[in-house]
Amino acid sequence: MSRPSDHIDSPAPSTRESISQPKLGPIGYIRFFWRQLTSMRTALFLLLLLAIAAVPGSVFPQRSSDPNGVTQYFANNASAAPVLDKLQLFDVYTSAWFSAIYLLLFISLIGCVIPRTIHHAKALTSPPPKTPARLERLGSFSAFEIEADAAGSTLTSASAVDSGRAVLRRAGYRVKLFDGRGLDGPEFSASAERGYLRETGNLVFHISLIGILVAVGIGGGVGYTGNKVLVTGQAFANVRLTFDSFTKGRFFTDSDLQPYRLKLDKFAVNYEEKNRNALGQPIDYTADVTTFDASGTATKAVIKVNDPLRIGGNNVYLLGNGYAPWITVKNPAGKTVYSEPVPFLAQDANLTSLGIIKVPDGLASQVGMRAFFYPTANENADGVLGSVYPDLRNPVLSLVVFTGDLGINAGVPKSVYVLDTDKMTPLAGPGTADGTMALRLKPGESAQIPGGLGSVTFENKAPASDGADLSQSVQRFASFDVHRDPTQGWVLFFAITVLAGLLTSLFIPRRRLWIKVVELAGGRLRIEYAGLARGEDPTLDAAVAAIAQRHSQQLGLRLNS
Amino acid sequence: MISAALASYSLTAIYSAMGVYLFAFIAFTLDLAKRSAESPLATVNSAARVGQMTRVGGTAVLDREPVVAAPQRASNRFERAAFALTILGWVLHVIGTVLRGVAANRVPWANMFEFSLTASAIIVGVFIAIQAWQNLRFLGAYITGFCLIVLGFGTVGFYVNVVPLPPALQSYWLVIHVFVATLGTAFFAIGAGLSLVQLIQARREAKSIAGLKFLDTMPDAEKLETLAYRVIVVGFIFWTFTLMAGAIWAEHAWGRYWGWDTKEVWTFIIWTIFAGYLHARATRGWRGARSAYLAIVGFAAVMFNFTIVNLFFKGLHAYSGL
Ligand code: HEM
């Protein structure tokens, strides 16, 4: 079957071959190596190795899926982390060793599949092989002796085999008749085979795996992923520079970005309010957006979790959300030097959120603030604030203020979510010389920045008439991922053929079946039935029995069992 | 509140099911003990047969040797009682699980507690159904014992009140993906049980261990291996589908079909181990004990994925509800 030589159905290696290793020339070595690489043992070994190699990626945080986790790991394990990083344990799935394993596996796979495909293509067009001389040696065998006139009219070996052929054909076998002289007399036989689809399925399965790998590889090369945080009312254009972060494949070009704009009109969150066990659990996120195509035509759309927006060859996903308190900073003269919504990162289920405000210009010295936002603030007995509900019931902003060098002049890019206070002194909050407390503001309130640097205001974006309803006072932001993966459809296609190939290769039995009629001395006939499984075939015996049954019926004989 | 009442009825049904399973487990164990006293199974003779022709009137009759049916064990009272109890326990179990779903107004597999209910119900269900194909009741103690442990941890360790689905889980893929995963798990569980018995049986056949006479009443190692293979193949198909459905869902929810999230990693690892198992079965020198070990390791990975990975590993699939 042209399977790897250590396949269970391949003939066992002759001992002579393995003992007297001939001297191998260069070609010999290459062939030897290739044989090893494409053996079942190697494939098995590489498969298991791949499974083991995938484990560390679930133990250590991965840059691809959890970059913050990696940063944190470095902070917590300062001595071990760089060593682990050298071993690429934070990039397991793109690491040299992981890639080496799967590439070897796929080379092995290709080397295994090509000869099998060629062999199978030949098998598909060639007739079943000659009937073996001794069928009784096969596992599934039965034989019956009858008088030639047992069925009333005279049976000949030829007519009996002929009707056998019809029975086999009806059962989906490909049949070839043979005629010859056996050990006990002249014999006629039908050699039949079925289940070529089993091998076809197996090949389709393995080839589709290659297809998936290739499609994934190409997709990674030409696709891209951009992330954009939008506060309600904001918009972005599908241009590389407008994204907050953008990763692209090696072969990506900016012309792959189709021009469109997307504006976040409204972002609504529903919280569970009735079920006491789940108070405040988010039930639904809805982003109402307006999209504008190249010609400026506006279309309204809704994006939800599990329900992305397909636009301009992209998918736009709603991935995250949170609060974006609007902060205004003024200098002592009352001139606004900073005024914008600041997206805060949620720290817990009740949306206690952390945000960073950096004011590099316009004040006497640079100012940085580390801010905690509590949508429903509650002060515990020790005077520590916490949020007890994720919606805006009692919004409070707490600001720890620093002044000094923000460290952003050196041109080194700094995360907007990190405040480097190494070269700064605290003005309000923990660590101040005079014990100045952190500033606490409710929407609409202002406070002086200590040291006479100016003032900071926590804007109320929906000043209600009665002043008590703060439920709309702070805006929300939604974070959108924009993806393009042009080969995704191919991956799905191959995944489906993987499954289809698997089903056919595991459930279609491939077997050979023979019906032989031997003319014995004295006008007697011996009818033999035998079957041979090729691969797993739990129903072989039953299949042979069924053919025997149908054949004898056809002949007018009755099988008693 | 109706939902709370239903949830408590559900829990009552589950506790009752556990009680019944406990008796089933005891009866299955007694059955195993009793098997020790029995005579070994007659092995089916599959040697070539030559039939005899007789003549009746004008029609020739081919008398075949009667097909030797798998011999029925004579004294299987405990086994029958245990199996009946298993069915009873399962009915209660299913009622409890369905009530939980009704209480939550969705499928009962959105957190670890519910997942333990549903997964163990499906495992027992598959175990019961599979008897129509093959008598595998000798695995009864293993299956009921296993489900008692799962339900015990589920109700004691993982219990959570009915809460609504978080937005990321609000998808019909929750229904398909998780249900098929549990089906796959059930087949892997039975396959691992068969492989375990196979390993012990093989040792006895090789005379490297003595005792455990009850194993004489079970199929031989080779037959067990074939049975395990056929069960695991079905599990593998379900698992392949789980993997694909998960990828499609991930694409809808997270914008990429594959991101090596911890849960994705482990689903992949399990798939790869079982692909290895299927290969091992076709590799010379790997049939028998080695492939059986792979089947057991594969199922252990499934369990690891459900317990340790859910509870202690960080990832997007944070659905334990704890
Ligand atoms: C990407 C790596 C591979 C995976 C995931 C994989 C998976 C599988 C699976 C699941 C099966 C059983 C289903 C079926 O029969 O179609 C199988 C069978 C088979 N594989 Fe692979 N395979 C891989 C690589 C290879 C390689 C490299 C070879 C060649 C050395 C190979 C040769 C075979 C053969 C000959 C069978 C048929 C086994 C039988 O006769 O039952 N596979 N493979």
Side-chain angles (χ1 to χ4, degrees), chain B residues 246-275:
Chain B
I248 297 174
W249 188 8
E251 196 275 332
H252 284 278
W254 300 321
R256 84 288 183 292
Y257 54 85
W258 196 263
W260 296 108
D261 179 61
T262 42
K263 204 77 190 179
E264 292 169 347
V265 171
W266 277 90
T267 307
F268 169 80
I269 291 173
I270 290 160
W271 189 82
T272 313
I273 295 175
F274 281 106

Coordinates of all heavy atoms in Angstrom, one line a residue, chain B residues 246-275:
Chain B
G246 N -15.1 25.5 18.2 CA -14.5 26.5 19.1 C -13.8 27.6 18.3 O -13.9 28.7 18.7
A247 N -13.1 27.2 17.3 CA -12.4 28.2 16.5 C -13.4 29.1 15.8 O -13.1 30.3 15.8 CB -11.5 27.5 15.4
I248 N -14.5 28.6 15.3 CA -15.4 29.5 14.7 C -16.0 30.4 15.7 O -16.2 31.6 15.4 CB -16.6 28.6 14.0 CG1 -16.0 27.7 12.9 CG2 -17.6 29.5 13.4 CD1 -16.9 26.8 12.3
W249 N -16.3 29.9 16.8 CA -16.9 30.7 17.9 C -15.9 31.8 18.3 O -16.2 33.0 18.5 CB -17.3 29.9 19.1 CG -18.0 30.6 20.1 CD1 -18.5 31.9 20.1 CD2 -18.4 30.2 21.4 NE1 -19.1 32.3 21.2 CE2 -19.1 31.2 22.1 CE3 -18.2 28.9 22.1 CZ2 -19.6 31.0 23.4 CZ3 -18.7 28.8 23.4 CH2 -19.4 29.8 24.0
A250 N -14.6 31.4 18.5 CA -13.6 32.4 18.9 C -13.5 33.5 17.8 O -13.3 34.7 18.2 CB -12.3 31.7 19.0
E251 N -13.7 33.1 16.6 CA -13.7 34.1 15.5 C -14.8 35.1 15.7 O -14.6 36.4 15.6 CB -13.7 33.5 14.2 CG -13.3 34.4 13.0 CD -14.4 35.2 12.5 OE1 -15.6 34.8 12.6 OE2 -14.1 36.3 12.0
H252 N -16.0 34.6 16.1 CA -17.1 35.5 16.3 C -16.9 36.4 17.5 O -17.2 37.6 17.5 CB -18.4 34.7 16.5 CG -19.0 34.2 15.2 ND1 -19.7 34.9 14.4 CD2 -18.9 33.0 14.7 CE1 -20.1 34.2 13.4 NE2 -19.5 33.0 13.5
A253 N -16.4 35.8 18.6 CA -16.4 36.5 19.9 C -15.1 37.4 20.0 O -15.1 38.5 20.6 CB -16.5 35.5 21.0
W254 N -14.0 36.8 19.6 CA -12.7 37.5 19.9 C -12.0 38.0 18.7 O -10.9 38.6 18.7 CB -11.8 36.6 20.7 CG -12.4 36.1 21.9 CD1 -13.1 36.9 22.8 CD2 -12.3 34.8 22.5 NE1 -13.5 36.1 23.9 CE2 -13.0 34.8 23.7 CE3 -11.7 33.6 22.1 CZ2 -13.1 33.7 24.6 CZ3 -11.8 32.5 23.0 CH2 -12.5 32.6 24.2
G255 N -12.6 37.7 17.5 CA -12.0 38.3 16.3 C -10.9 37.5 15.7 O -10.2 38.0 14.8
R256 N -10.6 36.3 16.3 CA -9.6 35.5 15.6 C -10.0 34.1 15.9 O -10.5 33.8 17.0 CB -8.1 35.8 16.1 CG -7.7 35.2 17.4 CD -8.5 35.8 18.6 NE -8.1 35.3 19.9 CZ -8.3 34.0 20.3 NH1 -8.9 33.2 19.5 NH2 -7.8 33.7 21.5
Y257 N -9.7 33.2 15.0 CA -10.2 31.8 15.2 C -9.2 31.0 16.0 O -9.5 30.0 16.6 CB -10.4 31.1 13.8 CG -9.3 31.1 12.9 CD1 -8.3 30.1 13.0 CD2 -9.2 32.1 11.9 CE1 -7.2 30.1 12.1 CE2 -8.1 32.1 11.0 CZ -7.1 31.1 11.1 OH -6.1 31.1 10.3
W258 N -8.0 31.5 16.1 CA -7.0 30.8 16.9 C -6.0 31.7 17.5 O -5.4 32.5 16.8 CB -6.3 29.7 16.1 CG -5.6 28.7 16.9 CD1 -4.3 28.7 17.3 CD2 -6.2 27.6 17.6 NE1 -4.1 27.7 18.2 CE2 -5.2 27.0 18.3 CE3 -7.5 27.1 17.6 CZ2 -5.5 25.8 19.1 CZ3 -7.8 26.0 18.4 CH2 -6.8 25.3 19.1
G259 N -5.9 31.7 18.8 CA -5.0 32.7 19.5 C -4.1 32.1 20.5 O -3.5 32.8 21.3
W260 N -4.1 30.8 20.6 CA -3.3 30.1 21.6 C -3.7 30.5 23.0 O -2.8 30.8 23.8 CB -1.8 30.2 21.3 CG -1.3 29.6 20.1 CD1 -1.0 30.3 18.9 CD2 -1.2 28.2 19.8 NE1 -0.6 29.3 18.0 CE2 -0.7 28.1 18.5 CE3 -1.4 27.0 20.5 CZ2 -0.5 26.9 17.9 CZ3 -1.2 25.8 19.9 CH2 -0.7 25.7 18.6
D261 N -4.9 30.7 23.2 CA -5.4 30.9 24.6 C -5.2 29.6 25.3 O -5.3 28.5 24.7 CB -6.9 31.3 24.5 CG -7.5 31.5 25.9 OD1 -7.0 32.4 26.6 OD2 -8.4 30.8 26.2
T262 N -5.1 29.7 26.6 CA -4.8 28.4 27.4 C -5.7 27.3 27.1 O -5.3 26.1 26.9 CB -4.8 28.6 28.9 OG1 -5.9 29.5 29.2 CG2 -3.5 29.3 29.4
K263 N -7.0 27.6 27.0 CA -8.0 26.6 26.7 C -7.8 26.0 25.3 O -8.0 24.8 25.1 CB -9.4 27.2 26.9 CG -10.4 26.2 27.3 CD -10.3 25.8 28.7 CE -11.3 24.7 28.9 NZ -11.2 24.2 30.3
E264 N -7.5 26.9 24.4 CA -7.3 26.5 23.0 C -6.0 25.6 23.0 O -6.0 24.5 22.3 CB -7.1 27.7 22.1 CG -8.3 28.5 21.9 CD -8.1 29.8 21.2 OE1 -6.9 30.2 21.1 OE2 -9.1 30.4 20.8
V265 N -5.0 26.0 23.7 CA -3.8 25.2 23.8 C -4.1 23.8 24.2 O -3.7 22.8 23.6 CB -2.8 25.8 24.7 CG1 -1.6 24.9 24.9 CG2 -2.3 27.1 24.2
W266 N -4.9 23.7 25.3 CA -5.1 22.3 25.8 C -6.0 21.5 24.9 O -5.9 20.3 24.8 CB -5.6 22.4 27.3 CG -4.5 22.5 28.2 CD1 -3.8 23.7 28.6 CD2 -3.6 21.5 28.6 NE1 -2.7 23.4 29.3 CE2 -2.6 22.0 29.3 CE3 -3.7 20.1 28.5 CZ2 -1.6 21.3 30.0 CZ3 -2.7 19.3 29.2 CH2 -1.7 19.9 29.8
T267 N -7.0 22.1 24.3 CA -7.8 21.4 23.3 C -6.9 20.9 22.2 O -7.1 19.7 21.8 CB -8.9 22.3 22.7 OG1 -9.6 22.9 23.8 CG2 -9.9 21.6 21.9
F268 N -6.0 21.7 21.8 CA -5.0 21.2 20.8 C -4.2 20.1 21.3 O -4.0 19.1 20.6 CB -4.2 22.4 20.4 CG -3.0 22.1 19.5 CD1 -3.2 21.9 18.1 CD2 -1.7 22.0 20.0 CE1 -2.1 21.6 17.3 CE2 -0.7 21.6 19.3 CZ -0.8 21.4 17.9
I269 N -3.7 20.2 22.5 CA -2.8 19.2 23.1 C -3.6 17.8 23.1 O -3.1 16.8 22.7 CB -2.3 19.5 24.5 CG1 -1.3 20.7 24.4 CG2 -1.7 18.4 25.2 CD1 -0.9 21.3 25.7
I270 N -4.8 17.9 23.6 CA -5.6 16.7 23.7 C -5.8 16.1 22.3 O -5.6 14.9 22.0 CB -6.9 17.0 24.3 CG1 -6.7 17.3 25.8 CG2 -7.9 15.8 24.2 CD1 -7.8 18.1 26.4
W271 N -6.1 16.9 21.3 CA -6.4 16.5 20.0 C -5.1 15.8 19.4 O -5.1 14.7 18.8 CB -6.8 17.6 19.0 CG -7.2 17.2 17.7 CD1 -8.5 16.8 17.4 CD2 -6.4 17.2 16.5 NE1 -8.5 16.4 16.0 CE2 -7.3 16.7 15.5 CE3 -5.1 17.5 16.2 CZ2 -6.9 16.5 14.2 CZ3 -4.7 17.4 14.9 CH2 -5.6 16.9 13.9
T272 N -4.0 16.4 19.7 CA -2.7 15.9 19.2 C -2.4 14.5 19.9 O -1.9 13.6 19.2 CB -1.6 16.9 19.4 OG1 -2.0 18.2 19.0 CG2 -0.3 16.5 18.6
I273 N -2.6 14.4 21.2 CA -2.3 13.2 21.8 C -3.2 12.0 21.2 O -2.7 11.0 20.9 CB -2.7 13.2 23.3 CG1 -1.7 14.2 24.0 CG2 -2.5 11.9 24.0 CD1 -2.0 14.5 25.5
F274 N -4.4 12.3 20.9 CA -5.3 11.3 20.4 C -5.0 11.0 18.9 O -5.1 9.9 18.4 CB -6.8 11.6 20.6 CG -7.2 11.3 22.0 CD1 -7.5 12.2 22.9 CD2 -7.4 9.9 22.4 CE1 -7.9 11.9 24.2 CE2 -7.8 9.6 23.7 CZ -8.0 10.6 24.6
A275 N -4.5 12.0 18.2 CA -4.0 11.8 16.8 C -2.8 10.8 17.0 O -2.6 9.9 16.2 CB -3.6 13.1 16.1

